Structures are given as structure tokens and as C-alpha cells.
Amino acid sequence: MAIDNALDVGTRVNDFSIKLANVNGTGSASANSLLMQAIFRMGIPVSGKNLFPSNIQGLPTWYEIRVNKSGYTARALDYDLMVAMNAQTYAEDIIDVRHGGYVMYDSSWPLDPDMQRDDVTFLGVPLAKMCLENFKAPRERILMKNIAYAGAVVAALGIDVELVSGLLAETFARNERLAASNQTALRLGYDYATEHYACPLPFHVEPMDANGSAILVNGNEATALGCLYAGATVAGWYPITPATAVMDNFTRLCARYRREPVEGADPSSPESHRNNYLILQAEDEIAAIGMVLGAGWSGARAFTSTSGPGISLMNELLGLAYYTEIPAVIIDVQRTGPSTGMPTRTQQADLMLCAYASHGDTKHILLFPANPHECFEFAVQSFDLAERFQTPVFMLSDLDIGMNDWVVPELQWDDAYVPERGPVLDDEDLRGMAEFFRYNDVNADHVAQRTLPGSDEKGAYFIRGSGHDAYGHYTESPEEYQQVVDRLKLKHAASAAYVPSPVVERREGARVGVITLGSCDLAVREALDVLSEAGIPADFMRVRGFPFVEDVRRFVEEHDDCFVVEQNRDAQLRSLIAIETGVGPEEMHPVLAYGGFPLSAKHVVDAVLSQLEN
């Protein structure tokens, strides 16, 4: 496989990329998602990337769909079809089309001759004119224009129009008027394209059976499902893009699955059931993490969802949780920083912030999911790790994972799952003890026993964020203080055996190694296949947790050239590996993408080839 800017000659089935250029706030997201869902239901590997601004409406927004029968669904950089619906970005959008590609545009108005390209075919569809003639309300005309262009794309790509019609019927099953308008708009675009152009185009879709039992889901929804499955009952949060949907979904799930019948109540009464959960929107992120720590200390499984700016505010209380050993889960859906940054762009720039969050000597457990399926699994593991090690645990997703739909294996729900609560003493344990001290008796992982409120009075203890000794007593003794923080360091190191292990793939004869994390996974895997075809086999490692296991250090040392691919400016993963494993940073070549858009394989291939040539 090669990454080439030129459009292949001849027919290509289930192997192309399209880009849809719109104006934010015009309702285009529904039409774009409709196309991706239809391709997914045809059993074809597909991905959709929504590249949208942080304002409410008016600025450019793009949606990219990549179809690839071999499963290469990382972001593409060149497009076979551009659906140009935003006159403000015509020039740059048309430039992005491959040589020999196609541009679909609204021909209700003439296209500026300066925009023309001799090597591109233009498909004019009078969308605005058709909607003006068929719909009355101004807002309806805008919305239906989106469905009309979707209909034209359906024809151009050979997508099953009856399948798309069925998806619209599902969406508007409760609103006959909207259902009828959408069906009309779909047919307007579809019929015009089929009557005026040779459809489908040379690149198009044909049904496959590649998705099996896969599902289409975004990371924020999968994360919320994981928190529910893990037994979380308390959440404190403050709204922030791109993490808000985690709590929106968790709230919706709890309203359905976290309610229990009230004994003796009239089943028809509104009071027949009561909530078995507590979700509080705090006044800010500081209060949110405080609520989570209070609930965690009380024995509830509690979490917060946030992004980089929220983590910044939480730092002092995260240090309190680390030092006093309170379980907590923090879902960080990373976005572009610093400061407010670009709230609707993706990045992986919170690694160092989360690893050492708070002042003084602190180290936290981090988990790095690569897709929504791992968001579900790692959310569950985060709660287990938080209680096993009595400490904050961060799950670092990102905007690309959190807010885009991904094709992933079906989520597995095991009713036999039993939460890992760690060393918790009950009343029977306490009765057999002469005296209980919170931080004195530790297990092989250097974790002390804890008690929960409501236990036998012998289990009562005073918790403090100031200096304390192994018995929980206040101290300013250097020796007693060091004994406690040294144990916390050992406890953190012990957690390496429990975090998700790295994914490692070897190629015969490889002298090059590539390390990455999170949502870079698909792009890096595709890049390694391209390099292998070019005669450069490379081994692959995706780290999935921190602290690192010994395998990470060995992987770097056993390769002549080791590249670390990540989405931030300052090579934070490379720095973290160097700090924690002792490997010199000069032994790792950084491959960095931090402009806010998802990573592409071409970026990785070009960086590796450039370094090796030098």
C-alpha cells in the first residue's frame, strides 16, 4: 500500500476519502453522520472525523469520511470527493482534492472561474434552488439542503438509498412532518445526481461483511457505560468541552439503571422508585473534585469528567487525595491548550500534567485508551485500580476519541464482574484487632488497610493533608515524613503490574521501533505497513498505562532508531519515558503532531523517512 496524492486510475471499491465542508450551526452534522452510519450498516470499515470550531455558528466546519476495505481508517489528508457547501472556504477546499478527483457544489449560483481546476471534475447540484421550490420555511430550507446534498452523495458513492431512507425513518419516527420533509430532500438530491451524472463514481461502495458484531459509538458514551458498569454511583462535575457528554450520558444511564423500587409504595406513583445515585454539577472544577473525594472516602465509587483546564484547577485536591490515599477516578478528555486553547480540537498534551498533578512529590496512575472500546474497558479498570491502590487514577481520552464515532468491537457486559475494593476492613476484621491505625499495616503492594464510615468505632480515624506518620498522627519529623512518602512511591511503582500492559507487535528484521499511545494507534499501524512495503520493517509498541513496565525501557534500547509518536508540541510521552525509565531522550526521535486535527499515517511515514535519511 502506498500513500499517493494522485487518484488511482480505474474503478476503486470501498477505498476512498471524502470531505464535507459546511458552515457551523446549519445542521450539517446530522446529514454527515447519516452518510457514515449508512456506510457502516453496509458492513464496510469506515471512520468519521468532525472538525468543528468552538463558536456556536458561522465559522467553517468539516467532516471527513474515510472508507477502506482493509481497515485503514485513520485520518486521510487527500480527498477523492469534496462536498463544498461553504463558499467562504471554496478555494482551500478545492485545493485539497486529489488530482483526478471530484468536487460537488451548490450550482444555484455560478462557480467563480478562478476556482476551477482542469484536473478535477465538478458536479453542480442546484441544492438551494431545489429547496426553495420544495420547502416553505426559511429554516427548513437550510436544514433540508443538508439532506439533499446527502442524497446526491448517496447516488455518487453508490450507497444504498433505501438504507438511508430507513435511517431517516428511524430518526424521525415520532414526527411525521419532519420525516416526510427529510425523505423529500433525500430524493431531490439523489434523483438529480442520478439524472445528470454517471453514478456511481469510479470510487464507490459495495456491501461487505467486515463489521461483524462491531458497533458505532463515540468515546464519551462508551466511557459513561464503563462508569455505570464499574458501579459508580457518585459524580461531581463542571461542564467543559469536550468532556461534558461523558456526564450527560452517565446521567441518562443512571436515570434508567440506577433507580430502585421503594418497598410498599404504589407502583403507579411517581414515588414508587428512588434514585440510587448522586450527580452534582458543582460551581467549578475545584468543588467537583472535592465532592468526588468526599464520596470516595465514604466508600462510594465516584468520578469526575473534565479536560485540561479542569485538571489545572483540581491540582491541590489531587495532592490531598494522593497523600491521604483516597480513591478517585478522573476522566480527562484532552483538548488543545494551553489556557482556553482550542476547545474543539484534539491533542495529547495533559500527560505530564496528570502524571505529576499537584505540588510536591506526587505520581499518579494513568490509563491511555486508544478507542471507545478501550474507554469502556479502561473506565472499569480505573475504578478497580483507584480502590486497589487507594489513590486518584486518570483515564486520558481525547476529543477525537470522545466526540467522534468509531467502529469498534461490541462491548462485553459480564454480570459476574465483581469490583476490586482493595484492602477494606469490615466490622468482623476490626473486632479481631487490638487497635487500628490507618497507614500502618500494608500489603505486598504497599497499600494500607482502610475502613469506611459506619464501621465499628474501632475503625474511626482522623485524616489529614498535613505531615503524618505511619499511624496517621501529625508529624514534622523528617524520618517519619519520609517513611510515608517513600511508601507512596513504592505503592505507585507496584501499580505498574496492574495497569493495562503495552500492545507490542514485532516484524522480522526490524531495527526500527515506534512507540505511541491513545488515538494515534490507527495512523501509526497504517504507517508501519507503508514503511514495511518500502523495505523498512518496524516494531510497534502502544503504551496503555503509567507507571511503565520494564518492557518499555527494553523496547527503546533494543532498536537502532526508536520513534515516539504523540500529539503534543513538547514530546511529553518521550519525556515521561526518559524520566521514569532512565533512557536518554536522545535515544528516542520525536514525531509530533499538535495542530489540533487527528493524526494521519502520512505524517508518521514522512517523519520516519526524513529521520532515517538524515
Side-chain angles (χ1 to χ4, degrees):
M1 188 193 77
I3 296 181
D4 189 355
N5 289 340
L7 185 61
D8 297 337
V9 177
T11 300
R12 284 187 292 117
V13 176
N14 297 338
D15 185 14
F16 58 85
S17 299
I18 73 171
K19 189 173 184 177
L20 302 105
N22 298 98
V23 177
N24 202 39
T26 59
S28 60
S30 298
N32 299 336
S33 179
L34 182 71
L35 294 169
M36 182 179 169
Q37 289 180 55
I39 296 169
F40 168 74
R41 292 204 184 185
M42 290 179 70
I44 307 164
V46 62
S47 66
K49 305 294 184 186
N50 191 14
L51 313 175
F52 61 103
S54 56
N55 76 325
I56 296 174
Q57 64 179 25
L59 291 181
T61 182
W62 294 271
Y63 191 79
E64 302 176 352
I65 297 176
R66 184 175 182 188
V67 174
N68 186 276
K69 59 191 174 189
S70 301
Y72 296 117
T73 54
R75 183 178 178 235
L77 294 179
D78 302 292
Y79 308 95
D80 304 300
L81 171 65
M82 176 67 66
V83 183
M85 293 294 123
N86 185 357
Q88 293 180 344
T89 61
Y90 269 178
E92 61 186 280
D93 292 335
I94 292 172
I95 288 173
D96 280 346
V97 182
R98 290 177 187 254
H99 168 73
Y102 291 73
V103 174
M104 182 180 291
Y105 70 101
D106 187 349
S107 60
S108 302
W109 302 275
L111 187 65
D112 188 331
D114 292 339
M115 302 289 181
Q116 299 283 353
R117 279 177 55 183
D118 293 338
D119 63 334
V120 168
T121 300
F122 287 83
L123 308 175
V125 182
L127 297 162
K129 182 174 182 294
M130 291 191 299
C131 290
L132 181 66
E133 294 170 350
N134 287 274
F135 304 104
K136 295 181 180 180
R139 180 62 179 170
E140 184 181 31
R141 290 168 179 164
I142 293 173
L143 297 175
M144 291 308 108
K145 179 180 173 180
N146 297 321
I147 302 302
Y149 79 63
V153 173
V154 166
L157 299 182
I159 299 172
D160 185 346
V161 68
E162 296 304 326
L163 174 59
V164 178
S165 177
L167 286 169
L168 285 173
E170 290 177 18
T171 303
F172 299 104
R174 298 183 180 181
N175 191 320
E176 291 184 9
R177 187 184 66 79
L178 275 178
S181 295
N182 277 268
Q183 296 290 353
T184 298
L186 175 69
R187 290 294 174 175
L188 284 171
Y190 181 85
D191 291 344
Y192 187 92
T194 54
E195 290 168 8
H196 291 81
Y197 302 109
C199 293
L201 301 177
F203 52 91
H204 55 266
V205 297
E206 290 181 4
M208 290 179 64
D209 190 20
N211 292 333
S213 60
I215 60 172
L216 198 61
V217 67
N218 65 62
N220 285 344
E221 186 173 13
T223 297
L225 279 164
C227 293
L228 182 82
Y229 178 44
T233 56
V234 177
W237 72 298
Y238 186 78
I240 186 170
T241 301
T244 294
V246 173
M247 207 59 71
D248 288 343
N249 281 297
F250 185 69
T251 302
R252 175 178 55 82
L253 290 166
C254 285
R256 181 171 180 180
Y257 297 108
R258 284 272 188 271
R259 287 176 58 78
E260 57 186 26
V262 176
E263 188 176 350
D266 180 358
S268 62
S269 167
E271 287 77 36
S272 62
H273 287 71
R274 63 186 170 204
N275 293 341
N276 188 24
Y277 64 95
L278 180 63
I279 301 172
L280 293 171
Q281 181 176 324
E283 62 268 32
D284 54 37
E285 287 89 348
I286 301 172
I289 190 63
M291 294 171 178
V292 170
L293 298 188
W297 173 81
S298 299
R301 289 202 144 183
F303 77 102
T304 188
S305 60
T306 190
S307 194
I311 302 292
S312 296
L313 290 171
M314 295 176 186
N315 263 241
E316 183 175 2
L317 285 177
L318 289 169
L320 172 71
Y322 172 80
Y323 192 34
T324 57
E325 302 180 67
I326 300 174
V329 170
I330 302 94
I331 306 296
D332 178 9
V333 187
Q334 299 171 92
R335 73 188 204 188
T336 303
S339 187
T340 304
M342 296 190 290
T344 57
R345 298 287 188 253
T346 195
Q347 214 170 66
Q348 297 169 321
D350 294 350
L351 307 187
M352 301 294 281
L353 170 67
C354 293
Y356 306 118
S358 196
H359 55 278
D361 292 320
T362 55
K363 287 187 180 182
H364 300 294
I365 298 172
L366 313 181
L367 274 64
F368 309 117
N371 53 59
H373 189 274
E374 286 192 342
C375 284
F376 173 77
E377 292 184 330
F378 288 9
V380 180
Q381 293 183 48
S382 294
F383 285 96
D384 284 349
L385 286 165
E387 292 203 288
R388 177 187 283 273
F389 289 97
Q390 298 173 17
T391 194
V393 172
F394 294 78
M395 189 181 87
L396 279 71
S397 174
D398 62 41
L399 185 143
D400 182 24
I401 299 173
M403 296 191 71
N404 286 322
D405 287 333
W406 292 58
V407 178
V408 297
E410 196 172 46
L411 307 181
Q412 299 300 313
W413 193 283
D414 183 3
D415 288 333
Y417 164 70
V418 177
E420 167 61 64
R421 303 307 304 268
V424 179
L425 300 178
D426 57 23
D427 288 352
E428 185 176 344
D429 297 323
L430 290 167
R431 280 194 292 270
M433 298 177 65
E435 195 169 2
F436 168 73
F437 295 104
R438 171 66 178 92
Y439 304 114
N440 187 40
D441 192 6
V442 301
N443 61 19
D445 292 323
H446 311 282
V447 182
Q449 298 174 335
R450 66 174 176 141
T451 58
L452 302 179
S455 301
D456 185 275
E457 62 182 17
K458 190 185 291 185
Y461 64 94
F462 181 73
I463 195 168
R464 61 171 73 246
S466 52
H468 55 265
D469 62 17
Y471 297 94
H473 300 149
Y474 175 76
T475 184
E476 294 188 16
S477 162
E479 292 79 11
E480 292 174 339
Y481 164 78
Q482 288 177 202
Q483 181 183 1
V484 171
V485 294
D486 286 348
R487 178 179 63 79
L488 294 179
K489 182 179 179 180
L490 292 171
K491 182 177 76 167
H492 181 263
S495 70
Y498 298 89
V499 302
S501 58
V503 174
V504 179
E505 296 177 4
R506 304 279 183 177
R507 283 181 168 82
E508 186 175 353
R511 306 297 297 273
V512 172
V514 178
I515 300 176
T516 191
L517 81 167
S519 60
C520 297
D521 180 65
L522 292 179
V524 172
R525 288 174 182 273
E526 181 181 354
L528 296 191
D529 285 349
V530 174
L531 290 169
S532 183
E533 289 187 7
I536 306 172
D539 291 334
F540 169 83
M541 171 179 278
R542 174 165 62 86
V543 296
R544 301 195 298 168
F546 173 79
F548 303 126
V549 293
E550 182 66 13
D551 290 349
V552 176
R553 179 188 62 80
R554 282 197 294 265
F555 187 90
V556 177
E557 293 178 342
E558 67 190 16
H559 291 96
D560 295 342
D561 287 279
C562 191
F563 296 84
V564 182
V565 182
E566 51 188 310
Q567 295 185 92
N568 57 71
R569 184 195 68 183
D570 295 336
Q572 293 187 29
L573 177 59
R574 186 184 73 150
S575 298
L576 201 56
I577 292 172
I579 292 169
E580 295 293 332
T581 69
V583 172
E586 69 280 358
E587 297 184 44
M588 298 173 282
H589 307 300
V591 177
L592 309 173
Y594 48 90
F597 286 165
L599 185 68
S600 72
K602 187 176 187 301
H603 186 107
V604 179
V605 171
D606 289 349
V608 171
L609 290 177
S610 176
Q611 177 63 39
L612 294 179
E613 287 170 1
N614 291 334

